[in-house]
Amino acid sequence: MSDSESPDHCDHGHDHEGPGYATPQAAIEEAERERTAYVMGIYTGTGVDAPDFVGVVDLDPESDTYGEVVNRVEMPNVGDELHHFGWNACSSSCHVDGLERRHLVVPGQRSSRIHVLDTKDRRDPEITTVIEPEEVFEHDLSAPHTVHCIPDGQILVSMLGDADGELPGGFLELDENFEVDGRWDPPGEIEMNYDYWYQPRHNVMVSTEWAAPETYYPGFDLEDVEAGKYGRKIHFWDWAEGTVEQTIDLGEEGQIPLEVRFLHTPEAAHGYVGTALSSNVFHFSKDGGDGDGAWSAEKVIDVEAREHDDWDMPVPGLVTDLLVSMDDRYLFFSNWLHGDVRMYDVSDPANPRLADRIWAGGTFGPSHPTGEDDREVVGGPQMLQLSLDGERLYWTTSLFSSWDDQFYPEEAEKGSVMLKADVNPRKGTMELDEDFLVDFGDLPDGPARAHEIRWPDGDCTSDVWQ
């Protein structure tokens, strides 16, 4: 059943008075075109002695500064390694009167410092709160990653390590005033942690695994994989109790499961996880997506490794990000090492069908995808973001500073780019916009890495519905 056919879930025990949209379909129909993007800018590991920042990118095609970084909110310290960030409130809190989607919660992966930005002035946000690392370490956690708003105004942050940067990780909860509320999960429920997503109507949260900070901070080492230091499991939690109810080991074909997404329709019991090193996409569902039974996971997309003269082994695609369009029709994911972005029709969730792909940078894509006279793209497609109407797909090219230096060392010297494809959801096609390139190599303090992207009015990787 599509969301438009389902009962309005703001009649699901409450009215729509708070932030966000009443339904995913309302987000598609009511949202205006994105005119501002917030994009992570990172100087960690570039040799530039400057703090990381949140960049404000102009996406208004009518503007004279379209496609430019028009403002930067610098962090107070150098070396945070900003990575992922999220909103204080989203559509999961649409029943909470008086709550605004206004504050960005911006953690530092390496510092464990958490910043809060007020975006009341969309083009000129300002830092209002800083949670220092010591407040995080008190709960034996470090290395914050995914930030999701959760119903009623709280914020949940996945933490990848303990206070010493070792295992286990866990989850940190902030209250609506951005004060540390404590640890959300009982310690010891999981060892490794990374991304997570929740689906309240099924009382479930699913989390994934990267590794201990002390393992991935220095860079990637295949011997660490052979030693079992990287994850290959996904965990299904009781959302209300904060306890793990089921763990699925994805095996050799599921090594390093990173980004995880449920379908947006709140009734749906289907989702996807990309496994970076194995370069596969798994579909997971609950009793085939309908019942009340156990969750299962099955590999549904296999990106084959490719030979390259400069590599001693076949090059894996390295699926590092994926997202689902707001109408649950398409799945997009990036192959950071190969250099392509893929679009799959997931109308039948368990049987994705390749619809289209674009090559840009990476190991096999063109180094000048937007024209030979334009600047060189020295990384591969990485963090993705899709417009709410599903017609514009954007991506950046940085993964993580030490991993960038290993696989694309020129990115530290030339900086990242942000690219865009125009999507035709009716035909299932994409076309690279060769007139659009945001150059993070041309900034006042020097070239920067660009990572996650967010829209002020919510997006396909942060909004959840009750």
Side-chain angles (χ1 to χ4, degrees):
M1 182 169 62
S2 72
D3 190 69
S4 59
E5 296 169 327
S6 70
D8 181 350
H9 34 104
C10 280
D11 289 330
H12 192 69
H14 56 75
D15 296 322
H16 179 206
E17 298 175 339
Y21 303 92
T23 64
Q25 187 62 33
I28 296 169
E29 295 174 357
E30 297 172 10
E32 296 181 356
R33 178 184 172 125
E34 68 288 352
R35 299 188 184 279
T36 300
Y38 300 119
V39 183
M40 289 300 204
I42 298 106
Y43 279 117
T44 306
T46 63
V48 175
D49 186 23
D52 297 343
F53 61 89
V54 173
V56 180
V57 177
D58 185 347
L59 295 182
D60 182 354
E62 305 301 319
S63 169
D64 292 338
T65 54
Y66 174 58
E68 296 181 14
V69 181
V70 294
N71 196 4
R72 293 176 298 140
V73 184
E74 294 185 341
M75 300 302 109
N77 296 274
V78 173
D80 287 309
E81 180 122 27
L82 305 183
H83 192 61
H84 286 215
F85 59 155
W87 290 102
N88 67 306
C90 71
S91 295
S92 68
S93 301
C94 69
H95 60 292
V96 182
D97 189 18
L99 194 61
E100 294 180 79
R101 188 195 332 242
R102 173 171 156 178
H103 291 89
L104 278 171
V105 179
V106 184
Q109 237 291 311
R110 288 184 189 266
S111 68
S112 299
R113 187 175 288 107
I114 300 175
H115 316 81
V116 179
L117 273 62
D118 185 344
T119 67
K120 182 179 181 181
D121 185 336
R122 291 188 171 189
R123 295 297 179 103
D124 191 19
E126 59 180 10
I127 296 176
T128 59
T129 303
V130 177
I131 300 171
E132 294 297 339
E134 291 73 19
E135 296 179 65
V136 175
F137 298 155
E138 284 180 11
H139 302 277
D140 200 21
L141 294 168
S142 68
H145 189 272
T146 299
V147 176
H148 271 305
C149 42
I150 59 177
D152 300 327
Q154 295 85 12
I155 298 147
L156 192 62
V157 186
S158 65
M159 310 292 293
L160 275 54
D162 66 11
D164 297 320
E166 300 172 353
L167 298 176
F171 292 87
L172 187 73
E173 187 170 357
L174 310 181
D175 67 19
E176 60 272 23
N177 298 313
F178 309 110
E179 294 179 352
V180 176
D181 216 19
R183 188 164 181 147
W184 177 79
D185 55 319
E189 288 291 301
I190 54 172
E191 280 289 301
M192 298 181 194
N193 202 4
Y194 182 74
D195 193 26
Y196 77 98
W197 194 283
Y198 62 97
Q199 195 75 314
R201 291 200 193 181
H202 290 282
N203 187 35
V204 67
M205 180 179 88
V206 56
S207 67
T208 60
E209 297 186 333
W210 193 5
E214 64 173 3
T215 299
Y216 66 79
Y217 275 176
F220 178 72
D221 187 336
L222 197 56
E223 290 186 1
D224 287 335
V225 178
E226 294 166 352
K229 294 183 177 180
Y230 279 96
R232 61 182 205 181
K233 299 175 184 173
I234 55 176
H235 308 278
F236 293 89
W237 299 67
D238 183 307
W239 175 239
E241 299 296 327
T243 54
V244 173
E245 296 296 304
Q246 187 182 347
T247 292
I248 297 178
D249 186 337
L250 301 175
E252 292 297 319
E253 295 191 304
Q255 295 190 77
I256 314 185
L258 295 182
E259 310 302 331
V260 62
R261 320 288 183 208
F262 269 108
L263 297 187
H264 297 284
T265 303
E267 297 90 348
H270 296 272
Y272 300 94
V273 58
T275 60
L277 184 60
S278 301
S279 301
N280 295 318
V281 175
F282 282 74
H283 164 249
F284 56 84
S285 62
K286 184 180 179 182
D287 242 13
D290 298 321
D292 296 325
W295 293 88
S296 60
E298 183 180 8
K299 185 185 73 172
V300 290
I301 299 172
D302 185 348
V303 178
E304 292 189 9
R306 295 180 57 175
E307 299 289 342
H308 191 282
D309 291 344
D310 295 337
W311 280 63
D312 295 331
M313 56 180 280
V315 183
L318 216 74
V319 178
T320 50
D321 194 19
L322 80 171
L323 64 78
V324 178
S325 61
M326 195 57 77
D327 63 1
D328 292 337
R329 172 87 185 274
Y330 293 106
L331 171 73
F332 297 85
F333 68 85
S334 55
N335 286 309
W336 187 59
L337 287 180
H338 280 186
D340 61 318
V341 179
R342 296 194 184 187
M343 175 182 184
Y344 280 75
D345 186 328
V346 290
S347 302
D348 179 357
N351 295 287
R353 178 183 63 80
L354 179 62
D356 204 355
R357 72 164 72 173
I358 283 178
W359 289 92
T363 306
F364 298 101
S367 56
H368 294 271
T370 58
E372 289 302 316
D373 294 332
D374 214 337
R375 68 146 288 185
E376 182 182 14
V377 175
V378 292
Q382 219 283 101
M383 294 308 295
L384 308 172
Q385 194 53 266
L386 184 68
S387 60
L388 291 174
D389 62 9
E391 296 186 358
R392 292 166 298 283
L393 181 73
Y394 301 80
W395 64 88
T396 56
T397 54
S398 169
L399 176 60
F400 193 68
S401 63
S402 49
W403 292 44
D404 289 352
D405 290 342
Q406 214 171 337
F407 295 101
Y408 297 113
E410 286 184 296
E411 189 154 53
E413 303 169 6
K414 297 182 178 179
S416 298
V417 298
M418 179 177 171
L419 299 174
K420 165 180 169 282
D422 293 316
V423 181
N424 186 328
R426 291 160 292 283
K427 296 182 178 178
T429 58
M430 296 187 291
E431 183 177 1
L432 186 69
D433 181 351
E434 296 187 5
D435 295 324
F436 182 92
L437 184 149
V438 184
D439 187 359
F440 281 77
D442 184 23
L443 294 175
D445 290 325
R449 309 179 197 277
H451 196 66
E452 195 170 43
I453 306 165
R454 294 251 169 261
W455 314 136
D457 294 314
D459 46 58
C460 296
T461 59
S462 63
D463 262 312
V464 176
W465 277 267
Q466 290 201 69

